[in-house]
Amino acid sequence: MEEDAATFAARLKHRAHTYGFFTCVLLVVSSIIGDAGGPLFSWLWPLLIIGGLLTLFLAVYLRFDAALFRFIASHDDETEGCRAVDDILARMHLRKRPDRTRPLQARMTRTNSLLMKLHLAFAAFLALFAAITAYGLWTG
């Protein structure tokens, strides 16, 4: 079953907001747990911050893609919407204007790979958070 651009955009927006919110909450909680300190924490916490920032970057990128898919959905013809997005990205100097307009399904496939990267980054961030929490509770 093929997803239309509006449904896909809503799903991306929901995922981006969810992962962004949980990442922010876990970063705040990790700094509260970090008050226990210790030598292991001093090199794990910067890794956690980098992982959190990477996760937040991917969530913002995904949110931007959701806005682009929403813009595509606002057009009557999806090919015309894709062409309009290419034009916007070229005028913003984010991408060169392509010779051919990529179809909607190709754009969705590429964005799904971005979503998979977000899932992996959040999983790594969560693993680091679990390690820091276990260390903080163990030493505290």
Side-chain angles (χ1 to χ4, degrees):
M1 183 173 130
E2 291 184 9
E3 217 172 357
D4 68 330
T7 307
F8 190 67
R11 186 169 63 91
L12 293 179
K13 179 181 171 185
H14 175 71
R15 295 271 174 93
H17 288 176
T18 301
Y19 282 110
F21 174 76
F22 282 123
T23 300
C24 289
V25 168
L26 293 177
L27 282 171
V28 169
V29 170
S30 73
S31 35
I32 294 169
I33 292 172
D35 287 341
L40 182 65
F41 184 79
S42 65
W43 66 269
L44 268 182
W45 199 69
L47 287 176
L48 181 77
I49 294 298
I50 291 169
L53 290 175
L54 177 66
T55 304
L56 286 175
F57 170 76
L58 289 172
V60 168
Y61 189 2
L62 194 68
R63 181 61 180 96
F64 179 71
D65 273 6
L68 292 177
F69 279 105
R70 187 82 181 126
F71 183 70
I72 290 171
S74 71
H75 289 77
D76 292 331
D77 180 34
E78 78 179 31
T79 305
E80 186 60 39
C82 291
R83 194 172 297 120
V85 164
D86 288 340
D87 183 52
I88 287 173
L89 293 175
R91 283 189 283 146
M92 292 174 68
H93 300 289
L94 294 175
R95 292 229 166 124
K96 290 191 323 184
R97 191 173 314 245
D99 297 332
R100 285 184 316 162
T101 301
R102 284 183 329 172
L104 182 62
Q105 289 304 318
R107 292 170 191 264
M108 287 180 170
T109 301
R110 188 150 183 201
T111 302
N112 276 329
S113 71
L114 174 66
L115 185 59
M116 182 56 69
K117 290 175 187 173
L118 176 63
H119 289 189
L120 292 173
F122 187 73
F125 172 71
L126 205 55
L128 279 170
F129 177 78
I132 283 180
T133 303
Y135 179 73
L137 294 176
W138 186 36
T139 59

